[in-house]
Every structure is written in structure tokens, then in C-alpha cells.
Amino acid sequence: MLIASIDPAEFRTQAIEIEPFAGGINITPVGIPVDFETMQMRRKACQPSIPGKYANLGVSAQIHLTLFEKEYLILVRQQKADHALLKLPSGYVPLEQLSNPYLTLAQELVEECLLLKGKKFCRVELNTQRLIKPYSELEYHSEDIFQLYSERSNPLKFPQAQIYINRQPLLGNPFLYIHKQTCSAQLVYPLRMKLPDCEELSLLHAEEQYDQVSNELNVILNSELWLARVNGDGIFSLNKLIRDRVQAMKIPADTRLSEVFAPKRKTFM
């Protein structure tokens, strides 16, 4: 289901430099602003190091959910050319939000993770702040909400350090990891999701897909938001929330785990 279209020509960002600072890590945007295509061209494999320069900054949401006394991590299944990838909900930080990536986090959450109750969608609160309705094509409940709170859970074993941008501490206590395949840096924000106490709830996903004819990003509503049971050794089951039931799902063929689940190597401090 198509619910919106976005012009990618409006996107701008900058490269970043990362260096040790005040017992933690400081991120500084550098260079001239570039468009989406140029950013993608710069995302080539490199050997991570700190201090170092990277193609771009991204954000990811590490969302934990307790349902029926079991713990889940919310993942997106994204189709690639020859395989599918299970990953954290994530996005690129645009130029105007590089000084405060928490704004990008809020935007990605409200645009990508949708909770359907009956035939309408629930509003989203992030740390008690009500977020906007992102899609005019969808109907929203006036009062029913689901809540997201910052927390400091670290089951994926990210290196722990205070993160700064332009030497200012970041909201939300994110972790930082570097993706060497794309020479990019990712801020991972740990969150706890609380669902409303009502029936007929289903988690859905909104995904951007590039249309080569219109040169636009089409936003497609699908069911590729998954609940992953996680233990110390990784994911051991995949499920979906459909009409208030956690339904076990067979892992689709050619599905891989994102690099975020790989063993971590401490590259700083």
C-alpha cells in the first residue's frame, strides 16, 4: 500500500570526523554538504579507526518490548537485490539535524514503526512528547498512543562511552558503532516500547522504495516489522504481532542478520 512519496533531491548531509574527547567520543560534521547520491558514492569499505573520517552519520532504534512476560527486539526485514536483511529501524541524519540526531530518531520512529488498532493507527510518544502524524493518507486515533522511553540496555554489546557532537553531549544516551563496509558511523538509541492496553493491535512497517520512473521515494506500508527473541548468543526466534497475538514465523529464505549483530571490536578509548 502506497502511503506517501518523497523527493530525494531535498536530502543533504555532511561527512563526519570522530575523535576522542572528554573520556568519550566527539563527532564533528566536516566538508561541504552533499546530496543523497554523492553520499552513497562515498560509502565504500574502509578500516575503522578513531580518530578518523567517515562518509555519513546514521541513527538506529534498538527497541525492546515485553509481551506476555517475554522480551523482544523489534527488527525490520528489508529486501536487497539478492537477499533480505534483518536490521534495526534506522535512517540517515540530514544536514539540518546533524547537531541533534535525536530529531532524526524521532522522525524515523514515527515514520517507520506503525501500530494499527482496528482500522486506525495509534499516535506515538517519545519520552512523553507526542510526535507528529507523518502520513496524511492514514487515519489516526485521537487518544490511543504507544510510548517509547530511552533506557540504557546493551544486549548487543556496543562499546560504552559518552557521545558528543560538536563537543555537546547527545540526548538519549546513544551507543556508537562504525560500519566498515560503508565507512559510516551509526548512533544506536536504546528504547523501551509500551503498548496501549487495548485489543486488535498489529505492528506494521513503512518502507521507502526508490521509483526509477518518477525519481521519487515511495513509502510502502507492509508487515515487515518483526519481533525477535534475543538471548546472549543472538536471535533464537522470529515473530510478528498480529491482532494482539505474537505469532511465530519461519525465517524466510535468503534472510541475513545485519552487521549490528556481529561481534563488536573496541576501536576507541
Side-chain angles (χ1 to χ4, degrees), residues 41-269:
M41 290 175 60
R42 291 179 174 180
R43 286 164 56 88
K44 299 178 181 179
C46 68
Q47 189 60 43
S49 64
I50 295 180
K53 185 175 179 180
Y54 298 93
N56 71 283
L57 182 65
V59 297
S60 293
Q62 178 187 298
I63 305 173
H64 300 268
L65 175 63
T66 302
L67 283 175
F68 310 111
E69 301 182 348
K70 295 180 180 179
E71 285 291 312
Y72 298 95
L73 186 64
I74 293 179
L75 301 179
V76 170
R77 184 173 178 270
Q78 188 177 66
Q79 189 64 47
K80 302 292 186 179
D82 59 349
H83 67 278
L85 193 67
L86 279 169
K87 58 189 281 291
L88 302 177
S90 59
Y92 305 114
V93 181
L95 181 68
E96 64 273 16
Q97 295 175 355
L98 278 171
S99 61
N100 187 7
Y102 188 80
L103 298 176
T104 308
L105 172 72
Q107 183 175 335
E108 290 298 323
L109 289 169
V110 77
E111 290 181 354
E112 195 165 339
C113 302
L114 286 76
L115 182 66
L116 181 65
K117 176 195 171 186
K119 296 183 179 180
K120 295 183 180 181
F121 290 85
C122 298
R123 299 287 300 276
V124 185
E125 280 189 359
L126 176 59
N127 290 324
T128 71
Q129 181 177 358
R130 185 75 58 93
L131 302 183
I132 62 167
K133 301 176 184 178
Y135 302 117
S136 59
E137 293 292 322
L138 302 180
E139 287 191 80
Y140 291 85
H141 293 283
S142 57
E143 297 299 330
D144 289 321
I145 62 170
F146 70 95
Q147 299 166 303
L148 293 159
Y149 298 98
S150 295
E151 64 173 26
R152 195 61 179 176
S153 179
N154 190 18
L156 302 181
K157 300 178 182 178
F158 293 109
Q160 300 191 52
Q162 175 66 58
I163 310 298
Y164 302 82
I165 283 189
N166 295 324
R167 301 195 170 187
Q168 298 298 313
L170 292 183
L171 294 172
N173 298 316
F175 303 111
L176 173 72
Y177 82 93
I178 294 170
H179 186 214
K180 67 180 182 180
Q181 283 77 16
T182 59
C183 202
S184 61
Q186 199 79 5
L187 295 171
V188 181
Y189 289 81
L191 299 165
R192 171 69 56 181
M193 177 184 283
K194 183 179 179 182
L195 300 181
D197 186 16
C198 51
E199 298 180 352
E200 290 294 303
L201 296 178
S202 300
L203 279 169
L204 298 175
H205 176 238
E207 181 178 4
E208 294 178 354
Q209 298 178 0
Y210 182 66
D211 187 327
Q212 295 182 338
V213 176
S214 66
N215 291 322
E216 290 184 323
L217 291 171
N218 290 331
V219 182
I220 308 297
L221 187 64
N222 60 38
S223 61
E224 295 293 353
L225 207 60
W226 294 68
L227 302 180
R229 289 286 310 280
V230 183
N231 62 15
D233 298 320
I235 291 174
F236 65 94
S237 72
L238 283 175
N239 313 266
K240 290 184 180 181
L241 180 64
I242 303 173
R243 296 187 182 91
D244 253 13
R245 292 181 55 202
V246 176
Q247 300 189 18
M249 297 287 174
K250 183 179 179 181
I251 299 177
D254 299 321
T255 298
R256 306 174 188 174
L257 287 175
S258 162
E259 76 285 342
V260 76
F261 296 98
K264 306 300 184 295
R265 182 171 66 88
K266 197 171 184 180
T267 57
F268 53 85
M269 301 291 288

